[in-house]
Amino acid sequence: MRNVDAAGLGIGDDYPPRIMGVLNVSKESPYEPSVFDDAGEAAEYVDRELIDEGADIVDVGLESANKRFEVLSAEEELDRLETAVETVESVSGDAVFSIETRYHEVAEAALDANFDMVNDICGFADPEMPEVCEARDAAVAKMASPPDLERPGAVEEVDDIYEALTQNGLTDKTIVDPAFGGWSEAKTLDHDRETFHRLREFRGFGQPVLVSINRKNFLREIAGRSTEEALPVSLAATSMAVERGAHVVRTHDVGQTRDAALVGKEFARRRLRKAGDVGVEELDVTTVREARRHVARVRGDDGTAADADASGGSTGSTAPDASDVPAPDAARHAVTRVFELTGLDAESKGALRAAAAETALVLVEGRDGTSLLAVGTPVAFENTATEAGGVSSALDAALERIADEAR
């Protein structure tokens, strides 16, 4: 996992979770406490409510990205930039300042006027955006979006979100954002929840991950809360997001979110990460889909090959030698699952023992003879289902369910 230096602020696995507070100089923005048109008042808010509460980054928006409003042109955003620049110059506290925009012209002007990084809400739909950021050695948050400057975040399915983040490539200092929220009419709360379930997959880019989940509808609905009542669900999700590998959390509730993020970091899985002549990094992989993202990254392909037919290359009955496993199939050897089976008769147990000897499945039998643990990769479970098939319909059904789940 690459660490990113954002004007001296380290972002990545080697650093604490970073909190991105929000300031808007756009009268359209719906969250009124963060909206200002006076630079002095805005700077006071930034110092008191954001930096003093623990914000590492202050994200300044020039217009509301809400799909209900007309999109401002680059020229109109530039007209508002002066207030944002005056605010940055008036702040007394220490933070990294990010400009939220979709236009390379605005990013360029902001970076040349004391801003430190860019939050591109259209995910490089402007193809000159990565060039501007690279030329100024600036970090850039890239939100998943279609190639359309008027439709930020308008991507629904998780696989499409992942693909959208490849648009016009990544800079060395890109932070990926999977675009939580109702950015399009077609996007549902279930889409957001599925994206959150699969958040670890976005680590497959090898870049830091940003999440913007503060009081979002997909969380509020779970508990039946209004926006005003939704802070607790936001904080719960923040801890979970950081535990699943997020590095930056964008929020209006800075102090509370900081605390929740630190809890998530404390209880995140400990993984080996060691530099040296030969660097070693244990990847945060819990599912085959997550492993496929890393396989695709290492291979330098688009992930299609990593989704090759599950039958390819390693469905023989014996455990494969590492050199026999094709790279696209490696993901199915990357995750170990454990299932407990109960109610097996003696014949079924015998069939499982015989199959396990051929498939590298590990069996642990209970002392009382009523339960059995089966430990193995998706490939081992699939091969076991084939090897042990036909002994009993109950065993066949159980092994098929396991094989399907393990995939």
Side-chain angles (χ1 to χ4, degrees):
M1 172 65 66
R2 183 191 303 275
N3 292 315
V4 164
D5 182 313
L9 179 73
I11 300 172
D13 282 353
D14 292 341
Y15 299 95
R18 301 305 189 182
I19 305 304
M20 176 184 274
V22 181
L23 172 73
N24 292 299
V25 294
S26 55
K27 59 181 180 294
E28 307 92 355
S29 296
Y31 191 74
E32 292 186 2
S34 70
V35 180
F36 296 87
D37 58 13
D38 177 84
E41 293 177 358
E44 182 181 350
Y45 174 81
V46 169
D47 277 323
R48 183 184 69 251
E49 300 295 336
L50 302 184
I51 296 175
D52 287 354
E53 289 294 313
D56 306 287
I57 305 167
V58 176
D59 191 37
V60 183
L62 303 174
E63 65 169 305
S64 173
N66 192 305
K67 61 182 179 293
R68 294 175 299 176
F69 297 117
E70 292 292 323
V71 175
L72 297 186
S73 66
E75 291 73 21
E76 289 171 316
E77 281 200 3
L78 286 168
D79 286 342
R80 296 182 176 186
L81 184 60
E82 182 178 353
T83 300
V85 172
E86 289 179 13
T87 299
V88 173
E89 293 173 344
S90 301
V91 169
S92 60
D94 185 25
V96 168
F97 283 89
S98 168
I99 188 70
E100 179 186 283
T101 186
R102 66 193 79 193
Y103 303 113
H104 81 273
E105 301 97 325
V106 178
E108 185 174 42
L111 292 172
D112 289 345
N114 293 327
F115 274 83
D116 303 298
M117 66 176 285
V118 175
N119 181 13
D120 184 352
I121 59 170
C122 280
F124 298 174
D126 180 340
E128 295 184 57
M129 181 68 83
E131 298 174 18
V132 165
C133 295
E134 286 183 316
R136 288 156 179 78
D137 194 32
V140 53
K142 179 183 184 182
M143 190 173 84
S145 295
D148 184 341
L149 285 171
E150 295 195 358
R151 301 178 63 231
V155 191
E156 291 81 40
E157 302 293 341
V158 181
D159 290 336
D160 295 335
I161 292 170
Y162 200 95
E163 177 63 26
L165 282 166
T166 68
Q167 177 176 218
N168 290 322
L170 302 170
T171 71
D172 286 345
K173 289 191 171 185
T174 296
I175 301 161
V176 295
D177 174 358
F180 289 98
W183 295 100
S184 71
E185 297 296 340
K187 193 169 189 180
T188 68
L189 302 186
D190 285 340
H191 284 129
D192 271 341
R193 282 194 279 265
E194 178 70 10
T195 303
F196 194 88
H197 274 297
R198 295 170 58 180
L199 187 60
R200 279 191 180 89
E201 288 184 42
F202 293 91
R203 291 175 59 88
F205 284 105
Q207 304 284 139
V209 178
L210 179 151
V211 294
S212 182
I213 55 178
N214 188 231
R215 301 179 188 248
K216 286 290 199 295
N217 290 346
F218 82 99
L219 300 173
R220 289 168 41 207
E221 189 200 52
I222 295 171
R225 296 296 186 183
S226 66
T227 301
E228 293 73 22
E229 299 170 324
L231 180 58
V233 294
S234 292
L235 300 181
T238 293
S239 285
M240 294 175 67
V242 172
E243 189 275 333
R244 294 179 183 196
H247 303 93
V248 181
V249 184
R250 187 178 185 275
T251 180
H252 291 282
D253 303 300
V254 169
Q256 301 95 324
T257 299
R258 170 192 172 275
D259 293 352
L262 290 174
V263 171
K265 181 70 171 179
E266 177 65 24
F267 294 103
R269 300 172 69 204
R270 298 289 184 256
R271 299 180 303 278
L272 176 63
R273 181 179 172 88
K274 186 173 179 60
D277 292 338
V278 177
V280 179
E281 180 178 0
E282 181 184 1
L283 300 179
D284 187 10
V285 170
T286 63
T287 70
V288 172
R289 285 187 298 206
E290 292 164 10
R292 283 178 179 148
R293 301 299 189 187
H294 290 285
V295 170
R297 170 176 55 83
V298 170
R299 286 167 54 90
D301 60 32
D302 62 1
T304 303
D307 288 323
D309 182 4
S311 65
S314 61
T315 56
S317 60
T318 58
D321 181 84
S323 61
D324 296 330
V325 180
D329 206 36
R332 297 171 58 248
H333 292 270
V335 180
T336 299
R337 303 291 295 272
V338 182
F339 296 90
E340 182 171 2
L341 292 81
T342 57
L344 296 171
D345 58 28
E347 185 179 17
S348 294
K349 285 184 181 179
L352 273 179
R353 292 190 202 100
E358 300 293 327
T359 63
L361 191 74
V362 175
L363 299 179
V364 180
E365 298 191 45
R367 290 182 178 180
D368 60 5
T370 63
S371 64
L372 179 149
L373 299 184
V375 184
T377 67
V379 172
F381 281 110
E382 290 169 12
N383 292 342
T384 299
T386 300
E387 288 287 326
V391 173
S392 76
S393 59
L395 178 61
D396 289 348
L399 291 176
E400 286 299 326
R401 284 197 298 271
I402 290 173
D404 287 344
E405 175 64 24
R407 284 190 197 102

